[in-house]
Amino acid sequence: MKRPYGDLRRIQHMIDNADVLITAWSGAVEFYPKLRFNKADKAFVIPRKQ
């Protein structure tokens, strides 16, 4: 499935109904590890609590 970046109504619906919204900005690569995200190939992963 392609990302619906061109479907503004769908994106607005997702934002309006989201419990959590995470966005990436310039400098995010250095910031995510401070939130205890683990680096993965082209992504950051939030580790589950054991």
Side-chain angles (χ1 to χ4, degrees):
M1 174 187 258
K2 293 184 179 182
R3 292 184 176 98
Y5 60 86
D7 188 344
L8 298 181
R9 284 184 57 188
R10 181 185 286 186
I11 292 171
Q12 188 63 56
H13 182 76
M14 289 188 292
I15 292 170
D16 291 343
N17 293 286
D19 291 326
V20 176
L21 179 63
I22 299 174
T23 61
W25 296 83
S26 177
V29 174
E30 294 84 24
F31 185 71
Y32 288 137
K34 294 176 184 176
L35 298 176
R36 297 185 181 175
F37 285 28
N38 296 325
K39 189 171 184 179
D41 185 36
K42 299 182 182 179
F44 282 88
V45 178
I46 302 171
R48 292 184 177 189
K49 293 182 180 178
Q50 297 291 332

